[in-house]
Amino acid sequence: ALLLLGLCYSLRLSIIEPDEAVKTMVNDLARGILSMQIENGAFCIEFGKKGERYDNYLEGIEFFHGEAMLSLACAYELATTWTIDDDASGILVESTREAILPALHRAFRFYSGYYYHTEDVAVNYNIWQVISFAKYHDALDDDDDRTEKHQVKKYVLDMCQGICQSKSWKYQLARGKSFYGNLETVEIACGLDALAEGIQVAKGYKDSSNLATLFERHARNALYFLEWAHACVPDSCTLGRGGLGSGGVQVFEQRLD
């Protein structure tokens, strides 16, 4: 999933050329992820026998499932909005491109149901779900998919509110410092990415303008916090000054970039 994401953004930023080898990789990775979706809409995270896959579909649900859906959504977005020699669909073959939205539709049914019927869902679940389903929301047609689009909008905005109410956002930002080394700084940085998507979704609906304002306020606070956290990294930091915290090797601050 992360390799597919890297390829999509590298193509969009013109870091790599869309030659046949790259297009083959994009299609193969997308088809590989699509093949991991099971009948209930969930994605399994380990390749293997079908029976084994049914047993592990909740494993890593806070991170890996959202990463898989985001990579599919980004590949679809690239194929439908980015032009290669005047052929917007050139990066994905037709069969792969046409399989992505139905897959995200099935996934939405499963993951939204999991969110609304499971207690104490980790905030990292919200973050990856918001980022992936905000892109799914944008891909839906305003007329043909109106009901689905409004349901996805509600899900995205509900999860954004969950991010703002999470422990790291309510208390870490309020205190102005991290009280768990820099571990929760990851949730601030990634949560900010999710809130940016939520702000865009909320601004598209008059009845959600108050939420857009709320999310923007939290986003500004998060930016101030991350600037402060980055400035606190000492020169002696084991892994260098590239990260957003100074917790040492144990928390791998470089991953925060």
Side-chain angles (χ1 to χ4, degrees):
L2 293 180
L3 180 55
L4 180 55
L5 279 173
L7 285 170
C8 288
Y9 282 105
S10 295
L11 285 165
R12 188 175 289 279
L13 295 172
S14 299
I15 296 173
I16 58 177
E17 294 296 323
D19 57 28
E20 290 304 315
V22 169
K23 288 192 279 187
T24 297
M25 281 192 288
V26 169
N27 279 275
D28 287 349
L29 289 167
R31 283 195 294 267
I33 294 171
L34 288 167
S35 74
M36 298 302 289
Q37 188 175 38
I38 58 178
E39 283 81 352
N40 65 4
F43 284 88
C44 297
I45 64 171
E46 295 180 8
F47 290 98
K49 295 180 180 178
K50 192 170 184 179
E52 294 173 352
R53 288 168 55 193
Y54 274 91
D55 295 333
N56 72 356
Y57 67 83
L58 292 181
E59 183 179 352
I61 196 169
E62 294 87 357
F63 297 99
F64 307 124
H65 300 234
E67 292 171 3
M69 292 183 291
L70 176 59
S71 66
L72 289 176
C74 285
Y76 182 86
E77 180 183 53
L78 189 69
T80 55
T81 63
W82 188 67
T83 301
I84 304 175
D85 296 330
D86 296 324
D87 180 7
S89 62
I91 198 64
L92 287 176
V93 298
E94 184 178 1
S95 59
T96 303
R97 188 177 70 254
E98 291 184 349
I100 290 178
L101 287 190
L104 292 177
H105 167 76
R106 294 190 296 272
F108 173 66
R109 296 300 167 199
F110 175 81
Y111 292 105
S112 60
Y114 178 86
Y115 176 77
Y116 287 121
H117 296 97
T118 302
E119 294 183 2
D120 299 324
V121 175
V123 68
N124 288 304
Y125 180 88
N126 295 42
I127 289 169
W128 284 101
Q129 294 281 312
V130 167
I131 296 172
S132 56
F133 282 113
K135 291 191 178 298
Y136 175 52
H137 167 276
D138 293 343
L140 292 171
D141 186 88
D142 289 335
D143 297 321
D144 297 339
D145 304 304
R146 183 182 298 272
T147 300
E148 174 98 343
K149 192 161 188 170
H150 277 268
Q151 291 174 345
V152 176
K153 164 234 180 183
K154 180 182 184 303
Y155 182 51
V156 167
L157 298 185
D158 285 351
M159 287 189 296
C160 284
Q161 293 178 79
I163 292 170
C164 295
Q165 291 297 315
S166 67
K167 180 174 65 176
S168 54
W169 279 70
K170 285 181 66 176
Y171 302 119
Q172 185 166 312
L173 291 184
R175 288 164 59 112
K177 63 179 181 179
S178 170
F179 50 87
Y180 285 120
N182 72 347
L183 287 175
E184 289 192 349
T185 311
V186 177
E187 295 179 2
I188 302 298
C190 296
L192 179 58
D193 196 7
L195 277 192
E197 297 284 355
I199 290 168
Q200 291 302 112
V201 171
K203 283 187 172 181
Y205 300 87
K206 291 183 179 179
D207 62 353
S208 300
S209 59
N210 59 326
L211 288 178
T213 301
L214 172 68
F215 299 157
E216 286 177 335
R217 184 170 71 247
H218 280 278
R220 282 193 296 271
N221 290 340
L223 280 172
Y224 295 145
F225 174 84
L226 293 175
E227 289 175 350
W228 169 84
H230 190 266
C232 291
V233 181
D235 292 333
S236 60
C237 185
T238 306
L239 295 179
R241 295 180 53 82
L244 293 168
S246 55
V249 175
Q250 289 81 8
V251 292
F252 299 104
E253 56 264 46
Q254 287 285 7
R255 70 187 175 137
L256 302 184
D257 287 333

